[in-house]
Amino acid sequence: MGSQDEEIEVRAPGLAVDFLDVSKAYMVNGKPLKALSSITLNVKEREFAAIVGPSGAGKTTVLNIIAGLEKPSQGEARVLGLDVNASNEHSLSAFRSANIGFIFQSYNLVSTLTAEENVELMMELAGWSDSGRNEKLTAELISMVGLTDRAKHLPAQLSGGEQQRVAIARAIANDPPLILADEPTGNLDQKTGLEIVKLLARLKGEKGKTLVVTTHDDRIVEMADVIFPLENGSLGSIDRPARVRN
Amino acid sequence: MEVWGALIGPLGFATKSLRRRGFHSYLAFLGLTLTVATTTFLLLLGQDLATRLGVDSSMRSTFGISWLIFAYLVLALGLIGIVGLLSTSYLVSSMISQHMRDIGVIKAAGALPRRLLSYVTFEALLVIASSCLVGALSALLAYASWSWPSISLFKQVGPIANAGATILIVVPMISFLLAYMVASVRVRRIVGSSSVNAISKQLANLDLKSLGKPLRIGRFGSAFNLATRNVSRDRGFNKTLLSMGVCICLSMIVLSGALVSADTSASYVVRAMPPHVLIVANINIYNQYVSLATSFSRIAPLPPIDYGNESYIISPQNASAFRAIPGVQTVDTRLITMSSITGYVRAHFASNQDTGENINTQIIPEVDTGSTNALIVGINATSAIGNWYTSDGFLQSSDAQYTMIAGDSLVGNIVQTPFNLSQVSALGYRYDVKSALVDPLNAGRVLYAPVETLQKSLGLNGFNVLLLKVNSDPTVLIAVSQLASSFGLVVGSQDPILNSNLTFLNDTWSHIFLVPILALALTCGILLSYVATNFSRRFNDYVVLKVLGANAWYRLRLLLWESWGVIAISMLIAIPVGWAVSIFFLVPDPSVSVGDLELSTIISASALTAVCLVSAAIYSRRLGFTTVKDLKP
């Protein structure tokens, strides 16, 4: 748990993610299974947060709550000022499509859409109806991730690294302030993973996004402004690297 | 080791795999069970109806109309059987396709093909066997509750002995065998294919040729545009469209066929006994004529009567007097009598060609086809009221004097086809049979001959029944009654007779309409399975959309467009084809009511649209509970 200063910080404006004593429990075969135990964490805007921990620690559960896909069993969760507990499914969906970009470990592109269509889909979900503008922006994003000559390919025709680059383009297509990534390099080799790490760095540096990333990848951890270690649903000691503290 | 052996044996693999798939296994089981149960139940219902109609109408109706009803039943049940088997085949094929990736992974991991084949086939067998068993039991329970207390499982229907029991065993067994064959073939194909293709299920399922400019209609929104791409790029789209189209077409034939057949059979009766017709005769002949006319719809003993009694005869002059009454359009003068008749097939030459060029000609001697009692009606062809449905036309003034038209109930026994060889002996004369007609009079056991010929045979100069075609002016009835009364005759309307006969027909058809309605319900159930199976294949994509921010309304619209779009295309093709078959190929000389076609279309379209709504709503609700954790790599 944080100090008095950090508790004040939790309530201060400029926080992209603000968890206060958040717990989450599931019923599995009739028995409660605690996924998170009284987590208190906050991520400032434009900050790069890494959540680390072994499998089953609760990392994906944290991302689900931030994205509004699940609600805490206890505690308060605010994301970009929105109270997750108090919001209904409709407003959470609208919030997600406008404010959050999601990058999955397994890419999870829509299998029947080409690379550029997957990116454009995000704009449509955000309610951007100007198809001409959408097409232009899509082309820019595809170019940014270096896939212009693969834009009309289906996900099944792309390699893992290419799919993940499309996923990154998709994640920022609706220009969200917050990007969540669940083990983005988990299924990639070293070299391809490095490309993804560089793209993530660009998102933070050039685009000024807030990133929350669950990862085992040391290269990503090294880039993080704050590291949240999770184990068995509990938060360990929060680490802010020296370069950040300084 | 023993524990592992038990766990990884075929049964262990199957049960674990089915449990892991949960919702999707349940869908497959439910779809197959529903198909088997409904198909079996409908066939049991059909044989029950055929039995009851056979028992009830053996003394009533005419052979022609009974044949029409039974022929419709046989066709409907046959088509229902085909729908059931098609659906079983599709469902099993889809169920196996969903395992494709797992099969590829296990094969890539090193499983021997033979062992893999046995494991996966056994899993399919579990679902198929349990579905067929539960389906058969459900059908039996449903049938028992429908026909309680008179359950008929062991009666003969047509050539099938113990029809009900036979259906109860044969239909689930055929479903099981067909499903097993489809499953085996499908699994072998997957096991035999490349592991890469099996694992990369996405690529195998997509039609790359359909990439390009997708259909976009901005007004319909993003969900519509996404749905068109999802559906058009699905490799199985054409197969699904064809399967759905065939199911919808066959059920449309069953539904519209029932309406067309019912209308046509009613039209045959109306044509033979038109409305706005008055019957004029001596009271005894009048009562007898009414009994003869209503023998189509009720069983009542026919008392013997001397048709040729002088007091019953109406002279030609008296008959002509009715023509002078304003409002009387036609006077149909008839002389009726009951007589024993004998049928013959004339002696004729018959030739056949053997394997060489030799043609053998032989003389077929005359054959006696049997005797019965029949009503003989002498009629004036030029003034006959009635536009009977005939096989080769009604009597003409140019026909030979010893020419007869046979009622449909005599065809096939006394009167044989081809008619040009058929003869009937009646009242000491031989008549050539020109044609057959459908006539409710004396339940179709009737012969029409030129009235002059009958008068000569009976030695009478006059008629004993007059039919008057009148307009709807009530004063005509008064005038006719007055004139008839002056001749000692009575007058009655043919309308109650017609209504009685039509009521009997409608009553019969109202029982039969249960078959097309349930057939439509079967089709809807099958389509629900099709749609749900297709949704299951794209489950991952829908979860991704939800995670990316597609709200519940967007997801529902997407599912609706995907399901209704495919069904709408199927309906656009299948419904007109169903109409065309019902109108042009089902019954001779059909009577088609535009209202009936509209009704069948509205009912089908509404039911199928409801299927889309229900399936989309159910699946949308299921998606509402999903999170990132439900995404499959």
Side-chain angles (χ1 to χ4, degrees):
Chain A
M1 290 300 173
S3 65
Q4 188 74 18
D5 288 342
E6 284 184 60
E7 277 186 33
I8 292 170
E9 202 174 81
V10 163
R11 294 281 164 242
L15 290 177
V17 178
D18 182 7
F19 279 22
L20 179 64
D21 282 333
V22 165
S23 295
K24 179 70 181 176
Y26 299 101
M27 293 301 286
V28 178
N29 294 331
K31 293 176 188 167
L33 175 72
K34 208 146 196 183
L36 295 176
S37 292
S38 295
I39 302 272
T40 293
L41 61 84
N42 53 78
V43 179
K44 294 176 193 157
E45 286 175 4
R46 295 174 181 255
E47 204 165 48
F48 188 144
I51 304 176
V52 299
S55 294
K59 304 189 294 295
T60 304
T61 306
V62 169
L63 283 192
N64 279 346
I65 294 174
I66 295 173
L69 291 165
E70 293 182 76
K71 292 186 179 180
S73 306
Q74 285 174 320
E76 278 181 34
R78 284 183 183 277
V79 180
L80 297 174
L82 178 82
D83 186 345
V84 173
N85 282 349
S87 303
N88 60 25
E89 157 75 28
H90 182 78
S91 50
L92 285 171
S93 294
F95 173 78
R96 203 158 51 241
S97 63
N99 294 288
I100 295 181
F102 218 120
I103 305 168
F104 304 93
Q105 179 179 1
S106 300
Y107 334 126
N108 283 314
L109 301 177
V110 176
S111 60
T112 51
L113 300 180
T114 61
E116 61 184 6
E117 286 169 349
N118 264 284
V119 175
E120 206 175 329
L121 173 67
M122 210 51 227
M123 298 174 191
E124 290 174 7
L125 290 178
W128 299 1
S129 54
D130 185 344
S131 57
R133 176 174 166 259
N134 290 350
E135 281 177 18
K136 188 167 168 253
L137 276 171
T138 300
E140 285 172 13
L141 287 168
I142 292 285
S143 171
M144 187 193 95
V145 297
L147 287 174
T148 304
D149 56 344
R150 308 284 271 167
K152 295 196 189 303
H153 285 75
L154 290 169
Q157 297 169 299
L158 303 173
S159 68
E162 288 168 342
Q163 289 189 56
Q164 195 62 299
R165 282 190 270 163
V166 174
I168 290 174
R170 180 180 68 181
I172 57 173
N174 55 331
D175 198 23
L178 175 61
I179 293 177
L180 308 177
D182 191 3
E183 310 252 13
T185 58
N187 284 355
L188 304 171
D189 59 70
Q190 285 284 336
K191 185 179 169 212
T192 316
L194 182 60
E195 292 168 13
I196 301 303
V197 170
K198 286 178 182 171
L199 274 172
L200 290 175
R202 277 179 75 180
L203 290 182
K204 178 184 180 282
E206 290 174 26
K207 301 285 181 184
K209 306 293 183 189
T210 307
L211 276 87
V212 179
V213 183
T214 67
T215 187
H216 292 125
D217 194 326
D218 290 335
R219 295 170 294 187
I220 295 178
V221 175
E222 277 171 25
M223 282 177 6
D225 299 324
V226 58
I227 301 160
F228 297 106
L230 269 182
E231 189 155 352
N232 290 329
S234 296
L235 191 62
S237 155
I238 298 169
D239 183 23
R240 290 186 184 273
R243 58 176 168 79
V244 178
R245 288 198 299 269
N246 293 338
Chain B
M1 281 300 291
E2 286 178 16
V3 170
W4 277 112
L7 283 175
I8 63 173
L11 183 61
F13 174 88
T15 49
K16 281 174 71 177
S17 178
L18 289 169
R19 278 180 61 192
R20 185 171 52 84
R21 288 178 211 286
F23 180 69
H24 302 292
S25 299
Y26 178 68
L27 265 184
F29 169 76
L30 191 63
L32 270 174
T33 304
L34 193 67
T35 304
V36 173
T38 320
T39 309
T40 309
F41 170 70
L42 277 171
L43 292 177
L44 284 172
L45 177 68
Q47 68 86 31
D48 184 70
L49 279 172
T51 310
R52 288 179 198 224
L53 289 173
V55 168
D56 290 347
S57 65
S58 59
M59 299 295 288
R60 297 184 285 168
S61 184
T62 70
F63 174 73
I65 289 177
S66 295
W67 179 89
L68 195 153
I69 292 171
F70 285 117
Y72 167 77
L73 264 180
V74 168
L75 174 73
L77 297 177
L79 294 180
I80 286 166
I82 292 172
V83 168
L85 292 177
L86 270 177
S87 168
T88 301
S89 160
Y90 177 87
L91 283 171
V92 170
S93 184
S94 292
M95 180 178 75
I96 300 296
S97 295
Q98 287 181 3
H99 293 13
M100 191 161 75
R101 190 175 177 279
D102 289 349
I103 296 170
V105 167
I106 297 171
K107 187 180 167 193
L112 294 171
R114 202 170 160 185
R115 174 175 273 192
L116 182 58
L117 199 66
S118 71
Y119 280 18
V120 179
T121 310
F122 191 84
E123 182 186 339
L125 210 59
L126 264 186
V127 176
I128 293 166
S130 52
S131 302
C132 290
L133 191 62
V134 173
L137 286 171
S138 307
L140 178 61
L141 280 171
Y143 173 66
S145 54
W146 152 265
S147 56
W148 189 264
S150 55
I151 304 171
S152 74
L153 285 176
F154 303 104
K155 288 193 180 160
Q156 176 118 6
V157 176
I160 306 173
N162 303 319
T166 306
I167 288 169
L168 199 54
I169 293 168
V170 167
V171 172
M173 195 178 291
I174 291 178
S175 303
F176 174 80
L177 289 171
L178 175 70
Y180 176 68
M181 269 171 44
V182 168
S184 296
V185 166
R186 197 86 186 90
V187 171
R188 273 177 212 282
R189 205 175 282 173
I190 295 171
V191 170
S193 69
S194 146
S195 298
V196 171
N197 279 344
I199 294 171
S200 303
K201 191 171 74 161
Q202 287 185 357
L203 198 57
N205 281 345
L206 292 172
D207 184 358
L208 305 182
K209 286 182 235 167
S210 69
L211 289 177
K213 209 75 180 155
L215 172 67
R216 272 188 201 242
I217 301 177
R219 187 177 296 180
F220 287 0
S222 168
F224 171 81
N225 295 325
L226 181 56
T228 57
R229 279 172 284 181
N230 283 348
V231 162
S232 63
R233 291 172 186 174
D234 182 354
R235 193 186 284 271
F237 173 71
N238 288 338
K239 191 177 159 190
T240 305
L241 192 64
L242 184 65
S243 300
M244 280 196 196
V246 169
C247 283
I248 295 172
C249 185
L250 294 180
S251 346
M252 267 311 290
I253 294 173
V254 172
L255 181 60
S256 56
L259 293 167
V260 170
S261 299
D263 285 347
T264 303
S265 60
S267 79
Y268 290 166
V269 171
V270 172
R271 285 164 72 170
M273 293 182 171
H276 307 307
V277 170
L278 299 176
I279 306 166
V280 179
N282 174 278
I283 180 70
N284 293 333
I285 293 287
Y286 175 84
N287 290 336
Q288 191 76 349
Y289 188 83
V290 169
S291 296
L292 288 165
T294 52
S295 61
F296 175 80
S297 53
R298 57 191 172 110
I299 306 168
L302 214 58
I305 188 172
D306 178 12
Y307 290 90
N309 189 312
E310 284 286 334
S311 63
Y312 300 158
I313 300 300
I314 305 167
S315 68
Q317 294 82 8
N318 287 353
S320 296
F322 287 96
R323 290 194 184 90
I325 297 175
V328 173
Q329 297 162 354
T330 313
V331 177
D332 181 349
T333 51
R334 299 186 180 188
L335 178 64
I336 65 172
T337 188
M338 196 72 86
S339 174
S340 171
I341 61 168
T342 305
Y344 298 95
V345 176
R346 284 186 299 150
H348 59 281
F349 291 105
S351 54
N352 59 351
Q353 190 168 1
D354 60 22
T355 51
E357 290 187 359
N358 298 325
I359 299 173
N360 298 323
T361 303
Q362 53 185 9
I363 298 172
I364 309 294
E366 183 177 90
V367 175
D368 181 333
T369 55
S371 300
T372 190
N373 281 338
L375 181 72
I376 302 176
V377 179
I379 194 166
N380 188 329
T382 55
S383 58
I385 293 171
N387 179 26
W388 294 264
Y389 168 70
T390 65
S391 61
D392 294 288
F394 194 63
L395 286 171
Q396 304 284 332
S397 45
S398 54
D399 288 328
Q401 59 174 329
Y402 293 107
T403 303
M404 264 184 172
I405 311 292
D408 52 320
S409 292
L410 296 174
V411 176
N413 39 76
I414 302 297
V415 173
Q416 297 285 340
T417 55
F419 294 127
N420 61 339
L421 295 177
S422 196
Q423 285 186 325
V424 169
S425 168
L427 301 168
Y429 292 91
R430 281 271 190 126
Y431 292 81
D432 292 322
V433 176
K434 172 186 172 181
S435 174
L437 50 66
V438 176
D439 195 338
L441 202 58
N442 200 28
R445 291 182 293 274
V446 61
L447 292 156
Y448 286 85
V451 66
E452 299 82 8
T453 310
L454 195 59
Q455 285 170 335
K456 190 170 130 188
S457 304
L458 294 173
L460 295 169
N461 180 27
F463 320 100
N464 52 17
V465 174
L466 302 179
L467 298 183
L468 275 54
K469 178 79 177 155
V470 298
N471 61 24
S472 49
D473 186 351
T475 57
V476 177
L477 175 60
I478 296 169
V480 168
S481 299
Q482 283 175 347
L483 185 59
S485 181
S486 69
F487 295 145
L489 303 171
V490 297
V491 178
S493 172
Q494 189 168 253
D495 287 355
I497 298 171
L498 174 63
N499 291 339
S500 168
N501 291 338
L502 289 177
T503 300
F504 164 70
L505 255 188
N506 289 339
D507 200 45
T508 305
W509 277 108
S510 67
H511 287 91
I512 295 171
F513 273 127
L514 199 56
V515 171
I517 288 168
L518 289 177
L520 184 61
L522 167 66
T523 304
C524 288
I526 289 166
L527 288 176
L528 191 64
S529 300
Y530 280 0
V531 169
T533 305
N534 281 323
F535 286 163
S536 293
R537 289 212 320 255
R538 286 196 281 275
F539 177 74
N540 218 57
D541 285 345
Y542 299 136
V543 177
V544 168
L545 283 168
K546 183 192 173 184
V547 172
L548 293 179
N551 59 25
W553 176 229
Y554 182 98
R555 298 193 303 266
L556 181 62
R557 277 185 294 135
L558 175 66
L559 293 169
L560 274 173
W561 278 122
E562 282 191 18
S563 57
W564 193 79
V566 177
I567 289 180
I569 295 171
S570 303
M571 281 198 287
L572 271 173
I573 302 165
I575 289 179
V577 170
W579 283 352
V581 170
S582 300
I583 293 169
F584 296 114
F585 299 104
L586 211 61
V587 291
D589 209 7
S591 168
V592 179
S593 154
V594 172
D596 283 345
L597 292 179
E598 286 173 357
L599 180 67
S600 64
T601 304
I602 289 169
I603 291 173
S604 302
S606 304
L608 295 170
T609 301
V611 166
C612 303
L613 286 170
V614 167
S615 58
I618 291 171
Y619 216 80
S620 180
R621 191 174 147 73
R622 168 99 173 80
L623 283 175
F625 297 114
T626 55
T627 65
V628 174
K629 290 190 167 78
D630 295 300
L631 286 168
K632 289 173 192 160

